[in-house]
Amino acid sequence: MPRRTMIEAIRDAMDVSMARDERVIVFGEDVGFFGGVFRCTQGLQAKYGKSRCFDAPISESGIVGSAIGMAAYGLKPCVEVQFADYVYPAYDQIVSEAARLRYRSNGDFTCPIVVRMPTGGGIFGGQTHSQSPEALFTHVSGLKVVVPSNPHDAKGLLIAAIEDPDPVIFLEPKRLYNGPFDGHHERPVTPWSKHELGEVADGHYTVPLGKAVIRRPGAAVTVLAYGTMVYVAEAAAEEIGIDAEIIDLRTLLPLDLETIVDSVNRTGRCVIVHEATLTSGFGAELSALVQENCFYHLEAPVVRVAGWDTPYPHAQEWDYFPGPARLGRALVETMEA
Amino acid sequence: MADAGMLRFHVPEPEVRPGGTPDFSNVTIAKAGSVPRPEIDVDPRDIRDLAFSIIRVLNRAGEAVGPWAGLLSDDELLEGLRHMMTLRSFDARMQMAQRQGKTSFYMQHLGEEAVSCAFRKALAPGDMNFPTYRQAGLLIADGYPMVTMMNQIYSNEADPLKGRQLPIMYSSKEHGFFSISGNLATQYIQAVGWAMASAISNDSKIAAAWIGDGSTAESDFHSALVFASTYKAPVVLNVVNNQWAISTFQGIARGGSGTFAARGLGFGIPSLRVDGNDYLAVHAVAKWAAERARKNLGPTLVEYVTYRVGAHSSSDDPSAYRPKAESDAWPLGDPIVRLKNHLIQRGVWSDERHTQTEAEILETVIAAQREAERHGTLHAGGKPSARDMFEGVYAEMPPHLRRQRQQAGV
């Protein structure tokens, strides 16, 4: 099976979707001729023409707002916001419009759009190229929120998102674009070509939305992770020698509660990890759900490891980023609690 | 540099406040028939002055004059008059129903009936409007059942939106009326996207975007103009300048200079200003703009100069911020009276027939109201099921919503 980077897998997902359904339209800033600042749309304009893949003005509300209108017409726009840090001008369109169109019109109009955006830190991106705003979307009824962690899932989830009848926020951890990253910034990065999850089948396949996957089965503690943190969790568990069960959530909304509850009820312990800031982050929702559903199986308090409640700094990147050392300490504390 | 003195902060104010004498002497009104009618493929640079004038057809004597006249037959005009009268009658009954506690909220169109009623007749089947909350004339003029509108206003068991939406936030794909949102200006850019989609699909349908004077200050107004201009989208960009955004006079949004139509010029969009109380002028300009869009000539911006005669909403009291008789002083008059006089002048209408028609329409509206009330009002009779509250958030109900519905016991 061919190996692809996450960038190539995402591009392939759009290519496959555009070839299968002429209603699929791709646009955003620098997405057309240039092929995207991360190369995710390279070649699509040449292959499908300017009506299907084109450059947009620098206006996030314009990009998402026009996509909503296109969806109301009957197209399936898959648009890009260059960095998740710059989605806020489109927040009104996403929250007030895309998420509610089906509900408020009683299905008269629907909004099958995908809003792709590179997310997450670990790349010296500073304050406005590192944020993880997923909790701002998981709080919105009517949206689906997806965060892939590897090329295979990225392609399958993106095709599923494009085919989904509801609006999907598709967050791509840019730290994972070229290879997995476990937080060990001092070591050279392994490319996806050397990783089995870099195996991406040609053609059409989907990874269903709303289904988590167990990346590492274990019996001692459940780790709930997504995006880059999946590899940080794997590294932390290995380094301290704890038999952790690592769940890659993949879709945050709707959430695969069944897989989570089943795991925590077996292990009796739960550590949640995300890059996003702690307070009111998605970890708070996960923690509450575990507490509500697994209370009588819990042998220790649920622990959250997250970005600090500060804007994402530049020079202090590795003091901020929740790496394997910090997560490892949390795992040890949980086991000793 | 010499001492420039202290800076002073500028806040525009309307000319007159409550207790003062209404004064519209600063509103320059072009003579009916005086503004030329350019070819639809005109270079936008050649008609810049149309963004600063006012296209008008009906003169003081009720005659249709000038190059924008003569597009509508007597029957079409009589139909237009009936639409406007129906909307006004509907408004009055629904405003009363709100006062009687049959619904929580209502917004009237008083004085602005010509804008949406005449515009609708310039569109073709399949075209899509992206209206604000003050264009119900688009529905009335397209034959959307009044009973259905009332069912929505009453949030009753027959409400097509299942009680989920605030009154008057209608939605009808079939009637080219996009779902109304409470968030201002959002639909302006969506209309452009819809038009882009039509062009991408090599379709022949066009979109119409709607916004009020106040909401042009929202950023989505700007993004809509950029996208419409960049992609030459087949869209008519309508700005209904009724002088007031709740209590705020239009100078606050406009910055005290230029016109709303002039905003389009910076984007290279042909921009026209039209007498919003002149049914014939509104229709003629709408038709011009729609034809441009349909012939792939791109977007047009149209500013309708009108006046919001009624309160902003059933929750508003305009006497707190503007003179009570200001609407009487409005120089463009009343759209219904003006079309009525024109039809009388044309010899196809009379005061008697007008009064008789008014009574007939009122009966029709009351009959519709009776029928709607049989399905319930907000606080009495049939209502949408609580189960409906959980439906339609997603195409398929996800597990967490199923659990919540179960918890709610519905």
Side-chain angles (χ1 to χ4, degrees):
Chain A
M1 203 183 286
R3 293 207 172 174
R4 290 179 164 94
T5 66
M6 195 137 139
I7 290 167
E8 290 162 343
I10 285 163
R11 185 195 306 153
D12 196 33
M14 285 185 271
D15 190 354
V16 166
S17 301
M18 290 173 89
R20 279 169 67 92
D21 187 347
E22 64 175 17
R23 295 172 302 167
V24 178
I25 305 294
V26 170
F27 65 101
E29 294 157 22
D30 304 301
V31 159
F33 182 82
F34 179 58
V37 293
F38 290 106
R39 322 309 302 150
C40 286
T41 55
Q42 193 169 32
L44 295 180
Q45 184 177 82
K47 187 167 175 185
Y48 296 100
K50 286 199 287 186
S51 289
R52 302 279 309 280
C53 177
F54 53 90
D55 291 311
I58 304 177
S59 168
E60 289 77 13
S61 71
I63 291 167
V64 176
S66 61
I68 293 167
M70 290 180 190
Y73 175 90
L75 298 185
K76 293 178 83 66
C78 175
V79 300
E80 179 180 301
V81 169
Q82 205 159 76
F83 287 88
D85 314 63
Y86 301 134
V87 73
Y88 310 122
Y91 199 57
D92 188 27
Q93 287 288 347
I94 293 171
V95 175
S96 312
E97 304 293 320
R100 297 179 186 180
L101 190 51
R102 177 188 297 278
Y103 190 73
R104 77 170 196 236
S105 71
N106 191 28
D108 200 17
F109 296 93
T110 60
C111 192
I113 67 169
V114 178
V115 185
R116 290 180 42 240
M117 59 191 97
T119 187
I123 54 144
F124 281 96
Q127 295 188 21
T128 56
H129 298 79
S130 308
Q131 295 166 36
S132 298
E134 61 270 16
L136 296 177
F137 299 108
T138 54
H139 192 55
V140 180
S141 38
L143 296 180
K144 291 179 178 174
V145 179
V146 176
V147 191
S149 70
N150 60 75
H152 169 268
D153 284 359
K155 178 175 170 180
L157 287 166
L158 183 52
I159 293 176
I162 290 170
E163 292 173 357
D164 196 90
D166 294 310
V168 181
I169 304 298
F170 197 85
L171 294 148
E172 302 166 2
K174 55 188 158 316
R175 179 69 244 204
L176 302 179
Y177 268 161
N178 290 305
F181 179 68
D182 60 10
H184 282 292
H185 51 94
E186 70 285 0
R187 296 178 198 158
V189 174
T190 329
W192 281 116
S193 59
K194 301 225 165 71
H195 197 286
E196 58 175 10
L197 286 171
E199 286 190 352
V200 177
D202 288 328
H204 180 272
Y205 71 88
T206 58
V207 171
L209 305 188
K211 289 273 174 263
V213 65
I214 296 170
R215 288 283 168 224
R216 181 195 188 284
V221 54
T222 300
V223 180
L224 304 182
Y226 50 92
T228 310
M229 289 302 123
V230 171
Y231 305 97
V232 172
E234 282 174 353
E238 187 154 325
E239 284 159 27
I240 57 169
I242 285 179
D243 186 22
E245 178 146 295
I246 298 168
I247 298 180
D248 178 354
L249 298 175
R250 299 198 289 200
T251 302
L252 307 189
L253 185 68
L255 185 69
D256 184 354
L257 187 61
E258 214 178 304
T259 299
I260 296 170
V261 170
D262 175 65
S263 174
V264 177
N265 281 349
R266 278 188 283 107
T267 62
R269 288 179 160 82
C270 181
V271 173
I272 295 156
V273 56
H274 58 58
E275 282 183 72
T277 50
L278 180 75
T279 302
S280 299
F282 190 62
E285 179 64 26
L286 291 171
S287 174
L289 286 167
V290 168
Q291 188 273 135
E292 284 165 13
N293 289 279
C294 311
F295 185 79
Y296 297 106
H297 293 83
L298 283 174
E299 292 165 41
V302 177
V303 171
R304 287 180 289 158
V305 178
W308 308 119
D309 283 339
T310 70
Y312 205 110
H314 185 246
Q316 302 90 337
E317 176 94 67
W318 306 117
D319 297 306
Y320 182 92
F321 185 90
R326 183 154 27 125
L327 180 56
R329 282 196 298 277
L331 289 171
V332 171
E333 278 166 30
T334 305
M335 294 311 298
E336 290 170 354
Chain B
M1 200 175 136
D3 179 16
M6 280 191 293
L7 294 169
R8 282 166 302 150
F9 183 54
H10 174 68
V11 180
E13 270 294 318
E15 308 262 322
V16 192
R17 286 295 192 184
T21 309
D23 178 15
F24 286 107
S25 56
N26 62 337
V27 180
T28 315
I29 310 287
K31 236 178 105 185
S34 66
V35 179
R37 183 177 192 279
E39 294 299 317
I40 58 159
D41 59 352
V42 67
D43 186 329
R45 287 170 297 190
D46 295 339
I47 56 163
R48 293 174 67 88
D49 47 340
L50 265 61
F52 299 94
S53 191
I54 301 184
I55 295 165
R56 306 177 62 227
V57 171
L58 293 175
N59 67 13
R60 274 166 200 261
E63 297 155 340
V65 294
W68 295 89
L71 295 179
L72 293 163
S73 68
D74 288 344
D75 282 348
E76 286 169 323
L77 288 174
L78 287 166
E79 191 198 20
L81 181 67
R82 179 173 277 272
H83 290 152
M84 291 199 286
M85 291 168 75
T86 305
L87 179 55
R88 187 166 292 184
S89 182
F90 181 89
D91 270 349
R93 293 297 299 184
M94 290 297 101
Q95 173 79 7
M96 202 191 302
Q98 191 277 334
R99 294 294 188 241
Q100 291 166 339
K102 291 174 180 173
T103 184
S104 62
F105 183 74
Y106 193 69
M107 294 177 108
Q108 299 191 80
H109 303 74
L110 200 58
E112 299 176 41
E113 292 88 349
V115 177
S116 51
C117 289
F119 187 90
R120 176 70 245 188
K121 300 312 282 184
L123 292 182
D127 294 343
M128 185 63 69
N129 284 285
F130 286 74
T132 77
Y133 46 67
R134 223 186 292 280
Q135 275 88 44
L138 296 170
L139 288 173
I140 299 270
D142 199 53
Y144 188 73
M146 270 191 288
V147 179
T148 314
M149 293 169 79
M150 290 168 174
N151 289 336
Q152 196 282 324
I153 290 165
Y154 287 145
S155 286
N156 63 22
E157 67 191 10
D159 174 3
L161 307 182
K162 305 278 185 194
R164 295 174 191 154
Q165 270 275 50
L166 196 67
I168 73 163
M169 305 275 185
Y170 315 106
S171 172
S172 175
K173 192 176 198 169
E174 198 194 332
H175 287 268
F177 193 95
F178 184 72
S179 157
I180 295 180
S181 167
N183 297 66
L184 298 177
T186 50
Q187 77 289 345
Y188 219 58
I189 175 68
Q190 292 163 6
V192 176
W194 196 98
M196 288 164 68
S198 183
I200 286 168
S201 310
N202 303 125
D203 201 344
S204 60
K205 302 187 189 95
I206 64 166
W210 292 89
I211 204 166
D213 46 276
S215 302
T216 60
E218 292 280 6
S219 56
D220 280 335
F221 176 69
H222 178 267
S223 54
L225 264 57
V226 176
F227 276 63
S229 167
T230 299
Y231 301 110
K232 295 201 185 310
V235 60
V236 183
L237 300 159
N238 297 308
V239 179
V240 183
N241 175 10
N242 68 12
Q243 316 299 321
W244 290 97
I246 308 186
S247 74
T248 308
F249 92 113
Q250 48 86 22
I252 292 282
R254 188 171 52 89
S257 64
T259 64
F260 291 104
R263 298 280 144 97
L265 298 180
F267 296 87
I269 298 174
S271 303
L272 287 66
R273 230 165 152 241
V274 57
D275 178 346
N277 292 8
D278 180 338
Y279 186 95
L280 285 80
V282 168
H283 180 266
V285 168
K287 210 166 171 59
W288 189 89
E291 206 179 323
R292 262 183 57 79
R294 219 178 297 281
K295 293 211 164 145
N296 217 36
L297 294 163
T300 307
L301 190 143
V302 183
E303 175 186 347
Y304 304 86
V305 183
T306 183
Y307 184 87
R308 195 197 79 210
V309 176
H312 165 70
S313 73
S314 56
S315 310
D316 175 48
D317 173 16
S319 70
Y321 50 81
R322 69 184 190 190
K324 271 190 174 150
E326 194 176 79
S327 61
D328 298 337
W330 175 243
L332 296 175
D334 179 294
I336 293 180
V337 173
R338 284 175 65 194
L339 182 56
K340 171 192 161 195
N341 289 344
H342 172 60
L343 290 166
I344 291 173
Q345 189 271 334
R346 259 166 110 144
V348 295
W349 201 239
S350 66
D351 278 315
E352 295 72 42
R353 285 182 69 183
H354 193 84
T355 312
Q356 192 192 339
T357 304
E358 220 162 33
E360 275 170 30
I361 287 172
L362 180 60
E363 261 178 57
T364 318
V365 175
I366 289 172
Q369 195 179 3
R370 277 205 201 99
E371 194 185 331
E373 288 180 9
R374 273 204 294 274
H375 298 291
T377 59
L378 181 62
H379 300 295
K383 53 178 65 172
S385 139
R387 273 178 80 84
D388 284 331
M389 181 168 68
F390 294 96
E391 299 283 346
V393 182
Y394 298 91
E396 261 180 68
M397 191 177 294
H400 69 284
L401 275 179
R402 277 205 302 276
R403 283 193 295 274
Q404 288 172 29
R405 189 178 65 183
Q406 211 168 8
Q407 267 182 323
V410 291

